[in-house]
Amino acid sequence: MAEFWKKLNFSSFASLRRNGGFVALDIGSSSIKMVETSIDKGGYRVLSLGMLPLPVNAIQNNMVVDAKQVAETIRRLIQENRVKSNQAVSAVPGRAVIMKRIEMPMQEEAELEANIEFEANNVIPERMENVNLDYQVLNAKAGGSKLDVLLVAVKKEIINSYTEAIEEAGLKPAIMDVDYFAMENMYEANYATEAGGGMAGLIHVGSRYTSVTLLHNGLSTFTGDLPIGGDEFSDSLKKELNVSTEAAETLKLTGLLEGKKGFDIEAMLKPTSEYLAEEIRRTVSLYGTVGTEEDDGLKAIYLSGGSAQIPGLRAILEQQMTVPVRLAEPFREFALDRNIDRDFLMEAAPLFAVGAGLSIRRPGDK
Ligand SMILES: Nc1ncnc2c1ncn2[C@@H]1O[C@H](COP(=O)(O)OP(=O)(O)OP(=O)(O)O)[C@@H](O)[C@H]1O
Ligand SMILES: [Mg+2]
């Protein structure tokens, strides 16, 4: 994985750290997911993890609007889980990021570093002083004459809204990544060894959004977002049964309405699952890879995010996409510390896909 957000690597803060550890925070629209992972010769080990809900208005338009609530929630997650690390690794949502692929003449790293802002100025539709800019070289073929460079820009206003909340919680924002890249990291850590040729799709269904990432030989070739998530499913129940938002959410998660059982949730959610699956299929097919027999075609989909567990969604998506769809296991290749609640992890794992990917990012990673 490339060293994204070099300019946001506040690793000079490292001297102030308590124990040198890093804690990942996936700050989503509906909740914050926390994962603390240690990395050593033996591999990855989950030290702690937790999730706490956020008030509905804390995150709006891809940024933190209620820093107090977000900071308070982070603080609780840290305290309740006895996290000692005080350097945070977090991410902005990919949809808040401007990404452009450009071609540049082959050049040395130092030269590239000096030229990149000038190039970005031509293709990024924002004033350079208002964005944090970073880049990644995608193909540094020896002897080639061109470089494929991915430019990544985020408005400072957006990134600062996250880092300010993290600081208010008493943590150092050591790395700000992009959630798409965290998903790739999660995939690489858990599935890279079993991936054959062709493409893998990562579909992450949250509460307000669904992100779609296509990887070819482990490298991302497409990323996009759909403005559809778990809220759509709750809304459909709310309308169908004429109940409150809270009652619909509870029914979706537990199958209980005012304490009563007997609802066929899967059937009630089916139209929304079909709609989401169709939108995913459309997004992927715009990229031209659905159902191709060729070696380059889509081979498998990994489904994650809190809404990955909507009853019936996985099967419907599999039908639409005509490739195997598996629930992602973000900690498949991670050892678990003794204090980790395994039952909770088994149930909630797909929710931690971004958090797992972030938890293994360190300053200076390539
Ligand atoms: N077991 C479950 N079955 C069905 N839906 C679930 C389950 N657990 C959580 N969800 C739903 O998943 C959503 C939360 O997922 P997640 O935490 O990935 O989203 P988020 O990161 O807060 O939001 P976003 O990424 O869209 O900003 C909510 O809509 C919630 O109702
Ligand atoms: Mg999310």
Side-chain angles (χ1 to χ4, degrees):
M1 192 73 235
E3 183 182 359
F4 274 102
W5 311 119
K6 280 189 287 288
K7 295 175 189 70
L8 281 168
N9 255 338
F10 306 147
S11 39
S12 51
F13 280 123
S15 55
L16 302 174
R17 70 201 173 194
R18 273 183 302 182
N19 71 353
F22 292 83
V23 55
L25 298 169
D26 169 17
I27 305 175
S29 318
S30 70
S31 64
I32 303 182
K33 277 71 70 181
M34 179 279 296
V35 183
E36 194 186 21
T37 299
S38 68
I39 307 176
D40 58 37
K41 275 186 237 94
Y44 304 129
R45 171 176 293 270
V46 185
L47 302 178
S48 60
L49 91 170
M51 193 262 286
L52 280 175
L54 280 174
V56 273
N57 296 322
I59 310 289
Q60 294 282 320
N61 299 321
N62 305 318
M63 59 193 285
V64 175
V65 292
D66 191 338
K68 248 205 178 74
Q69 292 276 8
V70 172
E72 181 51 33
T73 307
I74 296 174
R75 215 176 288 128
R76 273 183 56 205
L77 271 171
I78 297 298
Q79 269 165 13
E80 288 173 12
N81 294 286
R82 298 195 183 84
V83 173
K84 291 205 189 62
S85 305
N86 66 342
Q87 303 199 77
V89 181
S90 192
V92 291
R95 51 194 177 269
V97 175
I98 308 161
M99 290 198 228
K100 298 272 176 186
R101 258 176 117 127
I102 58 168
E103 207 173 68
M104 290 175 73
M106 180 61 75
Q107 52 199 289
E108 294 293 320
E109 179 74 28
E111 217 180 327
L112 190 61
E113 178 101 39
N115 289 334
I116 208 82
E117 188 163 325
F118 179 80
E119 292 295 325
N121 212 359
N122 294 328
V123 293
I124 304 281
E126 289 288 342
R127 297 171 71 92
M128 283 302 116
E129 65 263 34
N130 295 339
V131 298
N132 276 96
L133 182 70
D134 209 336
Y135 65 92
Q136 182 188 14
V137 175
L138 297 173
N139 71 329
K141 277 194 219 94
S145 61
K146 300 267 187 232
L147 284 175
D148 260 341
V149 179
L150 178 68
L151 288 174
V152 186
V154 189
K155 280 196 197 160
K156 284 182 180 158
E157 180 194 9
I158 293 178
I159 215 154
N160 291 345
S161 79
Y162 287 87
T163 54
E164 278 160 22
I166 290 167
E167 282 174 333
E168 198 171 323
L171 299 175
K172 314 271 182 272
I175 300 176
M176 286 301 288
D177 207 331
V178 178
D179 59 3
Y180 296 154
F181 305 149
M183 288 289 297
E184 288 175 46
N185 234 6
M186 182 284 292
Y187 175 83
E188 196 177 309
N190 294 294
Y191 296 103
T193 51
E194 73 171 43
M199 293 229 183
L202 309 180
I203 311 281
H204 187 78
V205 192
S207 64
R208 295 184 197 160
Y209 298 93
T210 292
S211 75
V212 177
T213 302
L214 298 177
L215 301 170
H216 192 239
N217 294 327
L219 291 177
S220 129
T221 54
F222 173 85
T223 46
D225 264 281
L226 296 164
I228 311 167
D231 288 354
E232 242 72 24
F233 289 89
S234 307
D235 277 352
S236 73
L237 295 178
K238 181 179 164 172
K239 287 198 191 106
E240 190 171 332
L241 300 167
N242 199 17
V243 295
S244 70
T245 306
E246 293 72 32
E249 181 75 16
T250 306
L251 175 61
K252 183 181 78 173
L253 296 179
T254 65
L256 298 174
L257 184 62
E258 286 156 2
K260 285 200 276 298
K261 288 194 276 204
F263 295 89
D264 189 348
I265 302 294
E266 183 167 340
M268 287 195 275
L269 297 177
K270 194 173 175 208
T272 313
S273 288
E274 284 171 341
Y275 167 61
L276 175 58
E278 170 59 19
E279 289 298 307
I280 292 170
R281 198 195 58 79
R282 238 156 45 108
T283 304
V284 174
S285 64
L286 284 177
Y287 195 74
T289 53
V290 180
T292 49
E293 292 293 306
E294 299 141 41
D295 289 349
D296 276 355
L298 188 64
K299 291 288 185 292
I301 286 176
Y302 299 85
L303 187 62
S304 62
S307 305
Q309 311 219 53
I310 293 282
L313 177 62
R314 192 204 59 78
I316 288 170
L317 190 60
E318 192 164 73
Q319 228 168 18
Q320 284 265 8
M321 302 297 296
T322 63
V323 296
V325 176
R326 296 160 64 178
L327 265 193
E329 297 172 71
F331 301 110
R332 198 164 172 255
E333 294 291 326
F334 292 45
L336 305 178
D337 214 57
R338 230 179 292 133
N339 64 6
I340 300 288
D341 181 341
R342 282 165 167 72
D343 292 339
F344 169 67
L345 188 65
M346 287 296 278
E347 243 176 66
L351 190 94
F352 287 97
V354 170
L358 289 176
S359 77
I360 53 175
R361 285 276 282 117
R362 293 294 180 267
D365 279 356
K366 268 289 169 201

